[in-house]
Amino acid sequence: MECTAGERGAAAASEGIAGLAYVGLRGSERIVTLLWDGKRLTRLDEPDVPGWRGRGIDCAGSRPRHLLAIGNLLLAANEASNNVAIFRLSADGEPNLAATLPSGAPTVFVRL
């Protein structure tokens, strides 16, 4: 029996944030969460469904160039708005805005 995208998302949520990918959508200024099964990316819910599993969330800036998940945080480099948005990731992977920091046209994060 094949699982629906919603069921796969629920399974991933019960295992924490492993298996999720966060994608920045420039133009609509959103971040969408996708499920990664090791072979392909799928949506957690239909794109017209409100909320983080469907339509996604606001990136808290403009032109999200790079996203980086570190532990329970997700960083978004919002190039055109000159800020870095910091999201806390809940146990099921939902990003919740925690803070924004000014930064001159950020485009990429580098782990040191």
Side-chain angles (χ1 to χ4, degrees):
M1 181 169 105
E2 186 171 333
C3 295
T4 66
E7 290 166 334
R8 285 190 300 270
S14 69
E15 298 167 9
I17 61 173
L20 297 179
Y22 298 92
V23 179
L25 303 178
R26 294 181 229 161
S28 65
E29 316 305 3
R30 292 180 294 126
I31 296 172
V32 173
T33 308
L34 303 174
L35 181 65
W36 171 247
D37 67 5
K39 293 183 181 181
R40 69 184 114 178
L41 292 167
T42 55
R43 295 198 67 117
L44 296 176
D45 214 334
E46 296 300 317
D48 58 343
V49 173
W52 74 279
R53 290 179 169 272
R55 180 157 172 73
I57 62 164
D58 185 274
C59 70
S62 181
R63 200 179 312 142
R65 286 286 299 220
H66 189 221
L67 301 174
L68 178 63
I70 302 173
N72 70 338
L73 298 177
L74 177 67
L75 308 177
N78 293 314
E79 180 184 28
S81 59
N82 299 314
N83 77 343
V84 171
I86 303 166
F87 297 87
R88 282 195 199 288
L89 299 174
S90 64
D92 65 356
E94 178 181 6
N96 296 289
L97 184 62
T100 57
L101 303 171
S103 177
T107 58
V108 68
F109 296 109
V110 177
R111 281 190 179 195
L112 299 176

